[in-house]
Amino acid sequence: MLTTVLSLIIIALLAAVAYLVRTNRALRRRLSQLPPSSPQPAPAVSPQAIHASAVSPQPIPAPAVSPQAIHASAVSPQPIPAPAVSPQTIPTPAVSPQAIPAPAVSPQTIPAPAVSPQTSPIPSPQAAPLPQQVLTPAEEFAAIDRRVDEQRLFLDATFGREGLCAASGLSKERIGQLIRRFGGGGNVQTYLNRKRVAYALTLMQQHPHYSMEAVAEECGIGNPSTFYRVFKQVYGTSPNEYRKIRRNDQQTPTKDQENTDLSV
């Protein structure tokens, strides 16, 4: 008995499914005949028809098919065309040879350098500089000493080793070697101070009325105490004692003057 009931239920279900399939096909054929601009929805399947065809103590309602779903599943006779890319809509950027001109080098803008025989004369062999004469150490010192005396560079109180190197073009070491060997020994300052007190001695002889401060200023030492100390180191006496001795020598008559007076 149970088997028979189950068989009847299965047969009813299959009949309902077959009915739905046939109905769906009929709707599709009817939709395909209609124009696409004004589609008409297919008639909805009533649940009572499905319920009447099914022989079951507990009816199983068939799923309702929506007209919009059937319309969406219909195949349109007009296929959707694929978007064609026109060559005019997306133009390929073309590089014109006129838009980017190549830089032209004109022969007139960059003239070739012309060598004129008048503007570039051939150097004469007589214009070539003579080779420098190699001096001995004694000659080097003599040239330096002569320049210092002729230009009286020692009269400047700020003149020292740097100035002497600039005037001679020699290094400090070379200047020191030449002065120690040929300048009476000592350093550069001692060499310059000897020249300054020698010039001071000439000033005292030519201008006996000068004060010692004026003599020290004129000879390039400046400081009177330094002048006294350097003068005594060189001549063995102070400047004042030297001036007294010279005055006495000028006042004491010589033997020739005494003989002249006696003869008169």
Side-chain angles (χ1 to χ4, degrees):
M1 184 66 182
L2 182 60
T3 305
T4 304
V5 174
L6 292 175
S7 299
L8 292 174
I9 293 173
I10 292 172
I11 292 170
L13 289 175
L14 292 175
V17 172
Y19 176 76
L20 291 175
V21 170
R22 287 195 301 271
T23 305
N24 191 10
R25 288 179 181 177
L27 290 175
R28 288 185 180 182
R29 284 195 301 271
R30 193 175 295 178
L31 288 174
S32 63
Q33 294 175 359
L34 294 176
S37 61
S38 59
Q40 295 180 0
V45 180
S46 175
Q48 295 178 0
I50 301 173
H51 178 70
S53 61
V55 182
S56 174
Q58 295 180 357
I60 300 175
V65 180
S66 175
Q68 296 179 357
I70 297 172
H71 177 67
S73 63
V75 179
S76 177
Q78 295 181 359
I80 300 173
V85 180
S86 176
Q88 297 181 358
T89 58
I90 305 176
T92 304
V95 180
S96 176
Q98 297 180 359
I100 306 176
V105 180
S106 175
Q108 296 181 0
T109 57
I110 306 177
V115 180
S116 175
Q118 296 180 0
T119 57
S120 300
I122 300 175
S124 175
Q126 297 179 359
L130 297 175
Q132 285 187 346
Q133 185 180 0
V134 179
L135 301 178
T136 62
E139 292 173 346
E140 285 182 344
F141 175 77
I144 296 172
D145 190 68
R146 183 168 57 253
R147 177 171 297 182
V148 172
D149 290 339
E150 290 176 355
Q151 299 180 6
R152 292 185 178 182
L153 301 176
F154 54 86
L155 295 181
D156 185 5
T158 62
F159 186 79
R161 182 168 56 180
E162 289 77 8
L164 194 59
C165 293
S168 62
L170 300 177
S171 63
K172 297 179 181 180
E173 292 77 10
R174 184 60 178 171
I175 290 291
Q177 292 175 0
L178 294 176
I179 289 177
R180 285 193 298 270
R181 184 175 178 182
F182 303 101
N187 53 17
V188 176
Q189 194 65 32
T190 303
Y191 165 76
L192 294 175
N193 285 338
R194 281 198 292 265
K195 289 188 172 297
R196 287 163 179 160
V197 294
Y199 184 77
L201 192 64
T202 303
L203 288 176
M204 293 168 64
Q205 294 174 358
Q206 295 177 357
H207 306 281
H209 60 281
Y210 275 11
S211 64
M212 292 302 167
E213 289 78 7
V215 173
E217 186 71 25
E218 288 289 334
C219 72
I221 294 179
N223 190 358
S225 60
T226 304
F227 172 70
Y228 275 85
R229 178 175 54 81
V230 174
F231 193 95
K232 191 169 185 179
Q233 288 178 355
V234 175
Y235 296 105
T237 183
S238 65
N240 292 328
E241 293 176 354
Y242 174 80
R243 176 169 285 181
K244 291 179 182 179
I245 294 172
R246 181 167 179 77
R247 287 175 181 175
N248 294 332
D249 292 341
Q250 290 178 354
Q251 292 176 1
T252 302
T254 60
K255 293 182 179 180
D256 294 337
Q257 292 178 353
E258 292 179 354
N259 293 332
T260 303
D261 294 338
L262 292 174
S263 62
V264 172

